[in-house]
Amino acid sequence: MIEDYKKHAAVWDWDGYDNSADVTAFDITKEMIDEGNKRFHSVENLTLKIADICNFDFTEKEFDFCFIATQDLHLLSDIVMVKQAFMSITEHLRKGACLALELILPLSESCCYPAQTFYPRVPNYSDKKVWKEGSGRYDAVTKRQYIDQTVYVQDNNVTESFKYSVTLQYFERDEILDALNCAGFAVVGEYSNRNKEHWTIESKEWIIEAVKR
């Protein structure tokens, strides 16, 4: 975990490079929302809220689209929380609205991930350099991935670093499909990437397109 979450929030838009959408976005941490408001307060039609995905209640109940990016759903520790999240989401969507999910299915065998260095695919800052180093391991029994990283921020030739650890919980395909069905969603597409190539059992990534019945 991170002692000062503000440091993490300040560099968390790791791959963010499209600011054109009109959205309501939320995060459970005040630090993330504070940082978002600081950066994007002048962006029209953007609303940022502090909320728990498993139990949120917005005034607007007729949203057209909801998107949950890779790893976000995996931050929930069990399928019960996933079901709660889907129920909260469906209550805020109009009939026929779309829910898109990016997921990773669990591996059948445990493994370790060696130390690596990661850089943003698209640099987001002109005044500083950001990168991270980390390793991890996956437990096939619990279907959990444990990640330990050090995040580096170089600003004016001064480099600051902080530790970051996170546990991701993966779910079986049938579990997710059942949770979606129980929340009133019908799956209309399964893809292996954002190019909408057909999903197969060998696909590493699993993208789901579902509509509210």
Side-chain angles (χ1 to χ4, degrees):
M1 298 300 291
I2 300 173
E3 294 181 3
D4 187 353
Y5 203 73
K6 290 182 180 179
K7 296 178 181 178
H8 202 235
V11 294
W12 186 242
D13 57 340
W14 189 255
D15 282 328
Y17 49 86
D18 183 357
N19 299 323
S20 62
D22 297 337
V23 301
T24 294
F26 62 94
D27 193 277
I28 197 171
T29 59
K30 181 178 182 297
E31 291 87 348
M32 283 292 189
I33 299 305
D34 287 346
E35 182 66 25
N37 282 322
K38 182 174 74 174
R39 295 193 204 182
F40 308 117
H41 64 277
S42 62
V43 176
E44 296 183 2
N45 300 318
L46 172 64
T47 303
L48 302 178
K49 296 177 178 287
I50 302 172
D52 181 352
I53 193 173
C54 294
N55 183 26
F56 65 98
D57 185 15
F58 297 158
T59 302
E60 174 62 57
K61 306 290 186 183
E62 293 289 319
F63 285 100
D64 296 312
F65 179 72
C66 177
F67 175 61
I68 303 180
T70 303
Q71 295 191 350
D72 286 352
L73 200 71
H74 296 305
L75 292 171
L76 302 181
S77 59
D78 56 54
I79 196 63
V80 173
M81 296 183 69
V82 172
K83 290 181 177 180
Q84 292 172 340
F86 289 165
M87 289 300 298
S88 291
I89 291 169
T90 194
E91 291 174 0
H92 290 78
L93 297 177
R94 65 168 176 78
K95 184 177 180 180
C98 180
L99 168 63
L101 305 171
E102 287 184 327
L103 298 167
I104 298 175
L105 291 171
L107 301 174
S108 58
E109 297 183 1
S110 300
C111 60
C112 292
Y113 300 94
Q116 299 182 65
T117 300
F118 303 90
Y119 297 95
R121 284 178 289 182
V122 178
N124 297 312
Y125 311 101
S126 59
D127 60 336
K128 55 179 168 276
K129 180 181 178 181
V130 180
W131 71 97
K132 56 188 178 183
E133 299 175 353
S135 59
R137 63 183 179 87
Y138 171 73
D139 186 336
V141 176
T142 60
K143 302 171 189 174
R144 290 178 180 171
Q145 182 176 355
Y146 303 90
I147 300 173
D148 296 303
Q149 295 181 336
T150 301
V151 180
Y152 295 89
V153 182
Q154 185 181 73
D155 193 355
N156 294 323
N157 294 321
V158 176
T159 302
E160 181 182 15
S161 65
F162 54 86
K163 301 290 185 181
Y164 171 63
S165 297
V166 65
T167 300
L168 304 177
Q169 179 67 59
Y170 298 119
F171 305 97
E172 296 292 348
R173 179 171 176 268
D174 288 346
E175 290 182 297
I176 296 296
L177 294 178
D178 177 67
L180 286 169
N181 180 62
C182 290
F185 289 101
V187 174
V188 296
E190 297 180 71
Y191 312 104
S192 61
N193 53 48
R194 293 191 182 185
N195 293 326
K196 302 187 77 170
E197 295 180 9
H198 184 66
W199 178 85
T200 68
I201 195 65
E202 291 82 17
S203 303
K204 180 179 180 181
E205 189 175 6
W206 183 33
I207 297 178
I208 305 171
E209 185 179 11
V211 296
K212 180 179 176 179
R213 294 194 294 265

XYZ file of all heavy atoms in Angstrom, residues 8 34 38 54 57 69 71 74-75 89 91-92 106 119 131 142 149 153 166 168 181 183 187-188 196 210 213:
223
model
N 0.557 8.978 -5.444
C 0.136 8.012 -6.455
C -0.914 8.610 -7.378
O -0.865 8.443 -8.599
C -0.399 6.770 -5.761
C -0.368 5.559 -6.634
N -1.476 4.817 -6.882
C 0.641 4.980 -7.325
C -1.161 3.804 -7.694
N 0.108 3.889 -7.975
N -9.699 14.456 -6.052
C -9.070 15.768 -5.857
C -8.066 16.057 -6.976
O -8.013 17.164 -7.514
C -8.359 15.822 -4.505
C -9.330 15.913 -3.340
O -10.518 16.192 -3.582
O -8.892 15.701 -2.196
N -8.295 18.935 -9.911
C -7.214 19.903 -10.066
C -6.775 20.006 -11.521
O -6.530 21.091 -12.039
C -6.027 19.492 -9.187
C -4.860 20.482 -9.243
C -3.768 20.108 -8.250
C -2.987 18.893 -8.728
N -1.830 18.601 -7.842
N -19.555 -0.643 -5.595
C -20.456 -1.677 -5.079
C -21.721 -1.099 -4.460
O -22.669 -1.835 -4.187
C -19.732 -2.530 -4.034
S -18.379 -3.503 -4.705
N -25.046 5.848 -5.543
C -26.388 6.340 -5.835
C -26.281 7.761 -6.380
O -26.143 8.716 -5.631
C -27.253 6.312 -4.578
C -28.701 6.693 -4.865
O -29.087 6.691 -6.042
O -29.433 7.007 -3.905
N -12.440 -0.378 -17.144
C -11.199 -0.704 -17.838
C -10.492 -1.901 -17.212
O -10.828 -2.366 -16.117
C -10.267 0.507 -17.841
N -8.329 -4.368 -15.264
C -7.860 -4.472 -13.879
C -8.788 -3.812 -12.874
O -8.760 -4.172 -11.698
C -6.440 -3.927 -13.701
C -5.386 -4.716 -14.453
C -3.968 -4.338 -14.046
O -3.754 -3.365 -13.340
N -3.005 -5.117 -14.490
N -10.965 -6.240 -11.248
C -10.144 -7.208 -10.520
C -9.681 -6.685 -9.170
O -9.108 -7.437 -8.370
C -8.935 -7.603 -11.370
C -9.301 -8.318 -12.634
N -10.085 -9.453 -12.645
C -9.012 -8.057 -13.930
C -10.253 -9.865 -13.892
N -9.612 -9.032 -14.690
N -9.929 -5.413 -8.882
C -9.617 -4.871 -7.566
C -10.649 -5.298 -6.530
O -10.411 -5.169 -5.328
C -9.542 -3.342 -7.623
C -8.362 -2.771 -8.426
C -8.528 -1.271 -8.601
C -7.038 -3.078 -7.730
N -24.552 -0.608 -11.036
C -24.424 -0.041 -12.378
C -25.743 -0.104 -13.128
O -26.178 0.876 -13.745
C -23.322 -0.775 -13.158
C -21.943 -0.444 -12.568
C -23.355 -0.389 -14.643
C -20.829 -1.306 -13.096
N -28.694 -0.075 -12.137
C -29.681 0.873 -11.606
C -29.483 2.274 -12.165
O -30.370 3.128 -12.040
C -29.607 0.899 -10.081
C -30.099 -0.392 -9.430
C -29.873 -0.397 -7.931
O -29.327 0.600 -7.403
O -30.232 -1.393 -7.282
N -28.328 2.529 -12.778
C -28.036 3.868 -13.296
C -28.046 3.915 -14.825
O -27.719 4.952 -15.410
C -26.676 4.342 -12.778
C -26.675 4.637 -11.318
N -26.613 3.652 -10.346
C -26.741 5.815 -10.643
C -26.633 4.214 -9.147
N -26.712 5.515 -9.304
N -8.507 -16.137 -15.269
C -7.454 -16.744 -14.446
C -6.654 -17.802 -15.203
O -7.189 -18.516 -16.053
C -8.235 -17.362 -13.287
C -9.617 -17.557 -13.811
C -9.855 -16.439 -14.762
N 7.188 1.887 -18.766
C 7.052 3.291 -19.113
C 5.670 3.517 -19.723
O 5.116 2.615 -20.365
C 8.124 3.700 -20.130
C 9.533 3.591 -19.610
C 10.294 2.438 -19.849
C 10.110 4.623 -18.874
C 11.594 2.321 -19.363
C 11.409 4.516 -18.387
C 12.144 3.369 -18.635
O 13.417 3.252 -18.148
N 8.137 6.561 -14.380
C 8.237 5.150 -14.745
C 8.079 4.313 -13.481
O 8.027 4.840 -12.368
C 9.571 4.850 -15.438
C 10.784 4.882 -14.551
C 11.425 3.835 -13.952
C 11.541 6.057 -14.167
N 12.515 4.252 -13.242
C 12.611 5.609 -13.361
C 11.427 7.421 -14.419
C 13.549 6.485 -12.798
C 12.337 8.295 -13.875
C 13.384 7.824 -13.074
N -5.978 -19.494 -5.440
C -6.838 -18.384 -5.039
C -7.248 -17.510 -6.221
O -8.127 -16.658 -6.096
C -6.129 -17.499 -4.015
O -4.930 -16.962 -4.597
C -5.757 -18.305 -2.770
N 5.431 -2.873 -6.668
C 6.089 -1.950 -7.581
C 6.707 -0.772 -6.818
O 6.299 -0.452 -5.700
C 5.101 -1.394 -8.606
C 4.549 -2.445 -9.557
C 3.585 -1.851 -10.568
O 2.983 -0.805 -10.339
N 3.434 -2.525 -11.691
N 9.297 9.242 -9.946
C 8.910 10.517 -10.541
C 10.143 11.417 -10.534
O 10.643 11.797 -9.477
C 7.773 11.194 -9.765
C 7.373 12.504 -10.444
C 6.572 10.266 -9.643
N -0.459 -4.140 -4.796
C -1.876 -4.347 -5.068
C -2.123 -5.832 -5.308
O -1.249 -6.548 -5.815
C -2.330 -3.510 -6.288
C -1.635 -3.983 -7.557
C -3.837 -3.554 -6.457
N -4.803 -8.397 -7.235
C -5.874 -8.499 -8.223
C -6.540 -9.861 -8.121
O -5.854 -10.883 -8.048
C -5.322 -8.298 -9.633
C -4.568 -6.992 -9.889
C -4.024 -6.978 -11.312
C -5.446 -5.788 -9.641
N -25.914 -11.650 -15.857
C -27.288 -12.088 -16.079
C -28.169 -11.752 -14.881
O -29.300 -11.269 -15.047
C -27.316 -13.593 -16.353
C -28.730 -14.105 -16.595
O -29.398 -13.696 -17.547
N -29.190 -14.998 -15.721
N -27.816 -9.363 -12.860
C -27.995 -7.922 -12.762
C -28.848 -7.358 -13.893
O -29.085 -6.150 -13.946
C -26.641 -7.225 -12.739
N -25.349 -10.401 -22.675
C -24.072 -10.287 -23.377
C -24.324 -10.351 -24.877
O -24.950 -11.295 -25.376
C -23.098 -11.398 -22.940
C -21.823 -11.357 -23.783
C -22.761 -11.251 -21.460
N -23.819 -9.355 -25.608
C -24.024 -9.308 -27.047
C -22.713 -9.439 -27.827
O -22.729 -9.541 -29.053
C -24.737 -8.007 -27.467
C -26.136 -7.956 -26.876
C -23.928 -6.778 -27.050
N -12.020 -5.586 -31.543
C -13.213 -6.425 -31.604
C -12.987 -7.715 -32.375
O -13.881 -8.224 -33.045
C -14.406 -5.646 -32.166
C -14.740 -4.392 -31.365
C -16.008 -3.714 -31.820
C -17.236 -4.457 -31.324
N -18.483 -3.687 -31.540
N -22.192 -5.826 -23.161
C -23.481 -6.277 -22.661
C -24.467 -5.107 -22.664
O -24.081 -3.948 -22.541
C -23.342 -6.836 -21.250
N -31.187 -5.322 -20.215
C -32.441 -5.839 -20.760
C -33.632 -4.959 -20.338
O -33.595 -4.314 -19.301
C -32.682 -7.270 -20.264
C -31.672 -8.277 -20.788
C -32.156 -9.684 -20.536
N -32.205 -9.973 -19.109
C -31.228 -10.576 -18.414
N -30.137 -10.964 -19.044
N -31.342 -10.798 -17.139
